[in-house]
Amino acid sequence: MRLWNLLSELISRLVQGKGHGVEELARRLGMAEEELHAVEPAYREFSIAKRGGGRRNILAPEKNLKELQRRILRRLLARLRCHPAANGFERGKSIVSNARCHVGKAVVVRFDLKDFFTSTSVARVHKYFRKIGWNRAASKLLVRLCTHEGGLPQGAPTSPRLSNLVNYRLDARLTALAARPRLRNPRTGRLEPAKVSATYTRYADDLTLSFPADDPKLIRNLIIQVKHLVGSEGYQLHLRKKLQIRRRHDRQLVTGLVVNDCVNLPRARRRWLRAVEHRLAHGRQATLTPAQIAAWRALAAMVAHQRTSTA
């Protein structure tokens, strides 16, 4: 009997691969295996207006799936490590921490990834689950519960965290590229280290590179290299409309915040907010709801508090 059990375990490992199985997955999620298998992924699709125009499609998971995805997020994904360059959706990080890295730079270059969540493929998500220790069956089940139609669904609780975890290599490669950029020597034709290094951060689909000195040749070269690098990771850049190159005489914006001299809300937004507060202080009505006013106050306070933080 013992020999048979060992043989069965060996066959199972050969078929399913190394790692924890569905039984362990169910235990960590506090569910029975049958209950876990019975969850049918279902989403409700709708669209919302984008800040810059157009519509954004959202896939909201149905109640049972959403609760299970939240459980996966808390119990399986929350403590895993993403790259330090990732600032979106991470505890202790924000649009301010993302912008703060690029304050006072000679040139700020911003890129935007097309269809970021849906372009984060099922194959890469499956590979990640296998890498962190789940066997083939458990990884396949996790992929079924966390992806939709070939990618990460924008609207699922697990998608933001998974997008950071899966893209550790993307962030590491772009960080290395920025820190040690190379230019082709026109005499020898060889790539040689440039004299200027850059700083890289990512906030969801928003990539930012900033330079302490203005070297147009280096900047053009890095834009080309970034395009090829993100392509090798399964993404495409918006190069025509959303590539932004801003120098010191321009207003340099990173995740919606000005970074020319310090992190701050844009001047027009600060003036507008002061006008709203002035109206309220004199007993007049504002065009915003109390919740909207509270949100703007919280954002202004967060920017003021975090702009000089070194954490």
Side-chain angles (χ1 to χ4, degrees):
M1 181 64 70
R2 183 181 179 185
L3 179 61
W4 174 253
N5 289 339
L6 290 173
L7 184 59
S8 297
E9 184 179 345
L10 177 60
I11 293 173
S12 176
R13 177 165 291 192
L14 288 173
V15 172
Q16 298 298 344
K18 294 181 180 180
H20 300 297
V22 176
E23 181 181 359
E24 175 63 14
L25 176 61
R27 187 191 70 80
R28 294 191 187 186
L29 294 176
M31 303 173 65
E33 287 186 58
E34 297 78 10
E35 186 182 4
L36 190 56
H37 280 293
V39 176
E40 287 295 332
Y43 295 85
R44 178 172 54 88
E45 186 172 1
F46 60 94
S47 65
I48 59 175
K50 292 183 180 180
R51 185 175 57 180
R55 308 289 296 180
R56 187 187 306 279
N57 290 328
I58 301 296
L59 286 166
E62 296 296 342
K63 183 178 179 180
N64 289 345
L65 177 61
K66 187 174 184 178
E67 172 55 35
L68 179 52
Q69 288 174 341
R70 285 175 171 167
R71 195 174 295 195
I72 291 171
L73 177 63
R74 292 193 307 268
R75 300 191 181 191
L76 303 185
L77 305 178
R79 295 187 180 183
L80 298 176
R81 189 165 64 97
C82 69
H83 195 276
N87 283 268
F89 321 120
E90 294 298 316
R91 180 175 295 181
K93 294 189 176 183
S94 66
I95 59 172
V96 182
S97 66
N98 186 64
R100 201 168 55 225
C101 298
H102 307 285
V103 170
K105 298 298 181 70
V107 184
V108 174
V109 182
R110 288 180 51 217
F111 309 85
D112 188 80
L113 296 174
K114 293 181 180 179
D115 304 320
F116 176 58
F117 285 103
T118 56
S119 295
T120 305
S121 69
V122 163
R124 294 181 65 214
V125 176
H126 183 271
K127 184 178 180 180
Y128 178 77
F129 282 129
R130 293 285 287 125
K131 181 180 178 181
I132 62 173
W134 297 103
N135 70 11
R136 292 189 184 95
S139 296
K140 184 178 179 180
L141 181 54
L142 282 166
V143 166
R144 185 172 76 87
L145 295 170
C146 296
T147 66
H148 182 69
E149 295 183 348
L152 293 177
Q154 186 163 358
T158 47
S159 291
R161 184 76 174 127
L162 272 174
S163 71
N164 283 343
L165 294 169
V166 169
N167 281 303
Y168 190 102
R169 189 175 72 168
L170 169 70
D171 291 329
R173 293 177 69 190
L174 285 171
T175 298
L177 176 65
R180 297 184 297 274
R182 296 194 297 170
L183 286 172
R184 194 171 299 281
N185 189 314
R187 296 180 180 178
T188 65
R190 296 178 180 176
L191 288 173
E192 299 178 354
K195 295 180 180 180
V196 175
S197 63
T199 299
Y200 161 77
T201 64
R202 179 176 62 82
Y203 193 98
D205 58 354
D206 194 340
L207 315 180
T208 305
L209 284 170
S210 59
F211 302 80
D214 190 352
D215 186 336
K217 185 178 179 181
L218 174 62
I219 293 169
R220 286 195 302 270
N221 185 66
L222 266 184
I223 290 173
I224 294 170
Q225 291 183 59
V226 169
K227 178 183 177 181
H228 290 306
L229 194 154
V230 301
S232 70
E233 296 288 339
Y235 298 109
Q236 289 182 296
L237 293 175
H238 283 286
L239 286 178
R240 291 188 177 182
K241 293 183 178 180
K242 297 191 177 181
L243 171 64
Q244 297 182 6
I245 303 174
R246 297 290 183 265
R247 292 176 165 82
R248 290 290 294 169
H249 60 272
D250 301 314
R251 186 179 66 163
Q252 297 171 326
L253 285 175
V254 176
T255 43
L257 301 173
V258 179
V259 296
N260 290 68
D261 299 306
C262 68
V263 178
N264 214 340
L265 290 169
R267 181 180 298 175
R269 183 59 65 185
R270 298 198 309 270
R271 288 176 174 173
W272 169 81
L273 191 55
R274 283 198 298 268
V276 169
E277 295 287 10
H278 181 77
R279 290 177 64 88
L280 293 173
H282 287 77
R284 299 160 65 188
Q285 289 188 343
T287 56
L288 303 177
T289 65
Q292 290 173 324
I293 294 170
W296 278 109
R297 285 171 175 165
L299 176 60
M302 181 184 73
V303 171
H305 176 69
Q306 295 184 11
R307 65 163 58 104
T308 57
S309 174
T310 57

